[in-house]
Amino acid sequence: MAGWVGSKNKLSYLSLMENRRVHLKKLMLGAPLAVSSLGWLSNCKKEDLLDGANFNGKVLIIGAGASGVYAAELLLRKGVDVQILEASSRAGGRIQSADIPGIGKLELGAEFIHGSRSIFYDMALSQGADSLMPDEGEDLYWLENQIRDEKYMRESPTLNGGGQTLFQIVDSLGSYPGGDQSLLQYLTDFPLEQPLFPIANALIANDYGSDLASIGMFALRDAEAGFSSGLENYRLKQSIWSLFEKKCPNALSKILFNQEVVQVNYSSSGVSVETAGGAVYNADRVLITVPLTILRANRIAFEPALPAEKQNAINNIKMDGGSKYFMRFSGPFWPDDTASIIGGQVIPEYWVIPEKDVNEAPGLTAFVTGPLQEQLRVLPEIEQRNLILAELAAMFPSENVVSALTSFYVKDWSAEPFIGGAYSYPSLLSAGQREPLAAPVSDRVFFAGEATNFNGHQGTVHGAMESGYRAVLEILKS
Ligand SMILES: Cc1cc2nc3c(=O)[nH]c(=O)nc-3n(C[C@H](O)[C@H](O)[C@H](O)COP(=O)(O)OP(=O)(O)OC[C@H]3O[C@@H](n4cnc5c(N)ncnc54)[C@H](O)[C@@H]3O)c2cc1C
């Protein structure tokens, strides 16, 4: 994969998404780590971005998420005239830091900084090393109707070595040698006991944003092989969005809210953009950063139509739904030092909300994407809650889980009118499609956003920021 970052390593998928897996951290200690070429971009302050580039036109940016805001800040610091049009009434997109009554301060969307070699990490580090909280703890596995530990996964004779095999599979996805097939098909080639499949679903597919049957091996291999930001995970002590507010103040002052773009006309020398409310904005260049769902649903009409190669990429890369459930309890019923509980069939992964304040009640986050999320979200909220509590009660039968619940809050990203899901994933038939998705059209229409990241960082905040940077380079050179 010709990612513009240029540096790759062989870190496993487990360095990606919600990995807080101590065993894999240990496994990967000796892995070669790529040196970041991005550190100098940290905190939106660099003045050396393409020195000598002489673009001085006006740029419209569609969408005020991580990619759009970061791109705008870079352009503004180069003296370029920028306007951001945001469909909703808030900035941040899939970053949403909130203070929910009864639940506390939470990240309703992105929560982890994946790895220490990225623009996002550098931006956070510029606030001081103590603003970062490394993700720590042990993972538990819900297997054969019992909560098991990693040792059991690796050594239990009842699994016939399947647990160990699964960890090895997970660890070598980036060098997958076979033909294109679904991840589910691939796993059935191995002697894995059936109870390990929900664990595989949680470890790989759910984190990537779908289920085992929907992930394609070629696209997964490329994502794994390209991922280079590192395998540690961090949370921020402050909120993620407040970091962007501090580091990208110029961009934030350029956002016009409630401006849903429905048409982009690039048939003449510049671009003309129309909103659902009938407002028209003219510029020299336009940068589209909307979620893939918006493009897939043709909610922005392009005149002339987008080239066939780009339209194919839009059709082939998939983005499913995703929800986070936040629960507080009168007391913890999970063992001390638990990081995650992996392998549920209602919720593939639960993780413990780290204590930021001693007065906070213990809490769990439940994270579900793909078809499981789609089945769950259509139920009345009380039924969703009951199913989740029933699963937790089965996992911890000696505790009264149900009566311990003190508050419950759901964030369903599929229901967000201008997001419509979690994040793009390595779907079947999507290998090689992200570069055409990212490619500029007629040197006037540019594309950024997590789905356009083709170096393995799709579906992340740093991947979205990197795509914004790539698009800024393209615009400045145009
Ligand atoms: C539940 C969840 C958990 C996640 N966890 C993590 C994590 O722990 N770590 C991590 O790194 N990443 C995580 N991610 C992924 C990360 O949040 C995204 O990859 C990133 O924030 C996407 O940024 P973006 O700029 O590409 O898109 P977005 O943030 O979606 O921004 C696009 C913007 O475009 C706007 N828009 C849409 N349509 C229009 C239109 N027609 N006109 C104008 N504006 C429009 C939207 O309102 C939105 O504000 C998570 C995502 C979700 C949903």
Side-chain angles (χ1 to χ4, degrees), residues 198-407:
I199 303 230
N201 188 55
L203 285 177
I204 314 172
N206 187 62
D207 276 355
Y208 263 111
S210 192
D211 69 358
L212 294 173
S214 310
I215 304 275
M217 285 310 298
F218 278 3
L220 180 61
R221 175 201 62 201
D222 293 349
E224 288 285 309
F227 192 81
S228 62
S229 57
L231 57 109
E232 328 82 57
N233 282 320
Y234 303 87
R235 290 182 177 90
L236 280 178
K237 279 200 186 133
Q238 63 185 306
S239 75
I240 296 182
W241 192 245
S242 70
L243 178 66
F244 274 81
E245 285 175 333
K246 274 191 202 122
K247 297 298 173 181
C248 302
N250 302 303
L252 295 185
S253 70
K254 295 291 181 182
I255 304 173
L256 290 178
F257 293 101
N258 304 308
Q259 303 293 315
E260 181 192 359
V261 169
V262 291
Q263 196 163 54
V264 171
N265 189 319
Y266 61 103
S267 51
S268 56
S269 59
V271 286
S272 172
V273 161
E274 195 174 329
T275 68
V280 175
Y281 298 89
N282 296 307
D284 300 291
R285 307 283 184 267
V286 63
L287 172 58
I288 314 283
T289 76
V290 300
L292 183 62
T293 42
I294 305 295
L295 297 175
R296 285 177 60 81
N298 294 316
R299 284 173 57 184
I300 300 179
F302 289 88
E303 180 59 40
L306 292 173
E309 207 190 355
K310 185 172 295 284
Q311 195 56 54
N312 282 340
I314 292 170
N315 297 340
N316 285 333
I317 307 171
K318 300 274 166 59
M319 173 166 154
D320 283 356
S323 296
K324 271 171 122 174
Y325 297 83
F326 303 93
M327 295 164 277
R328 294 280 182 194
F329 298 92
S330 50
F333 46 82
W334 50 90
D336 282 352
D337 199 36
T338 301
S340 294
I341 305 149
I342 291 165
Q345 293 181 37
V346 177
I347 298 290
E349 186 171 4
Y350 298 87
W351 62 78
V352 175
I353 301 175
E355 191 185 89
K356 282 189 178 169
D357 174 344
V358 283
N359 297 317
E360 268 174 4
L364 290 178
T365 298
F367 181 56
V368 59
T369 63
L372 275 181
Q373 186 260 2
E374 279 147 34
Q375 287 164 29
L376 198 56
R377 70 180 292 269
V378 294
L379 302 175
E381 192 177 310
I382 183 82
E383 284 182 37
Q384 297 177 46
R385 193 179 78 176
N386 289 344
L387 282 169
I388 292 170
L389 289 178
E391 182 162 80
L392 287 169
M395 290 172 170
F396 299 97
S398 61
E399 311 284 338
N400 202 338
V401 170
V402 177
S403 62
L405 184 79
T406 54
S407 45

Side-chain angles (χ1 to χ4, degrees), residues 63 65-67 86-87 93-94 110-112 114 261 418 423 449-450 459-461:
S67 60
E86 166 57 46
R94 282 168 275 177
E111 177 170 343
F112 298 95
H114 298 298
V261 169
F418 304 111
Y423 35 80
E450 58 83 12
T460 67
V461 172

